[in-house]
Amino acid sequence: MNVPENLKYTEDHEWAKIEGDVAIIGITDYAQGELGDVVFVELPETGDTVSKGDTFGTIEAVKAVADLFAPLSGEIIEVNEKLGAEPETINKDPYGEGWMVKIKLSDPGEVNDLMDAETYKEKIS
């Protein structure tokens, strides 16, 4: 199971890569493996605001449909448009090309509430 050390994680299997006051968000390798082949992703619009814990979209796979939960609060400043045409990118590269949204953080302190890689590994093992 791939759990990069440089990311933060949620109980709902989202990851966040923090770059200054921006967080890049996606789902973990574990989550995409549990879902199976991803066939559709519904993501928010650029400019939308999200609050930590709110649903920001859905992911549809062969096995299930699941909500996506915002790990942090802020404004959506970029959406990975590639996923509309190629949702399977999430299965192939969940931590790279399969990222979903970028959020400009409204409360950077929320990052401290997320799990580090070690804690997340314990949760999924």
Side-chain angles (χ1 to χ4, degrees):
M1 193 63 51
N2 184 10
V3 181
E5 294 290 328
N6 65 324
L7 304 177
K8 296 290 190 174
Y9 300 89
T10 70
E11 294 282 334
D12 299 306
H13 309 290
E14 283 85 16
W15 58 262
K17 181 178 183 183
I18 310 303
E19 295 182 343
D21 65 350
V22 172
I24 304 168
I25 310 298
I27 65 166
T28 64
D29 189 33
Y30 175 84
Q32 70 79 23
E34 290 293 300
L35 285 168
D37 293 338
V38 176
V39 294
F40 179 75
V41 184
E42 181 179 89
L43 297 172
E45 300 287 323
T46 301
D48 287 355
T49 57
V50 293
S51 294
K52 179 181 172 183
D54 284 357
T55 302
F56 73 88
T58 56
I59 184 166
E60 187 175 329
V62 173
K63 293 183 188 175
V65 176
D67 286 332
L68 299 166
F69 298 99
L72 301 159
S73 302
E75 178 186 351
I76 305 292
I77 58 169
E78 192 175 341
V79 175
N80 188 348
E81 302 294 344
K82 175 181 181 178
L83 300 180
E86 300 173 33
E88 68 276 6
T89 304
I90 295 166
N91 295 115
K92 295 177 192 162
D93 190 11
Y95 299 115
E97 294 294 313
W99 67 273
M100 296 179 172
V101 297
K102 294 183 182 180
I103 299 174
K104 183 170 177 47
L105 302 177
S106 59
D107 182 359
E110 289 178 344
V111 172
N112 299 325
D113 298 334
L114 300 177
M115 289 183 269
D116 62 17
E118 228 22 71
T119 306
Y120 183 70
K121 282 181 199 172
E122 289 170 16
K123 175 185 169 42
I124 60 175
S125 60

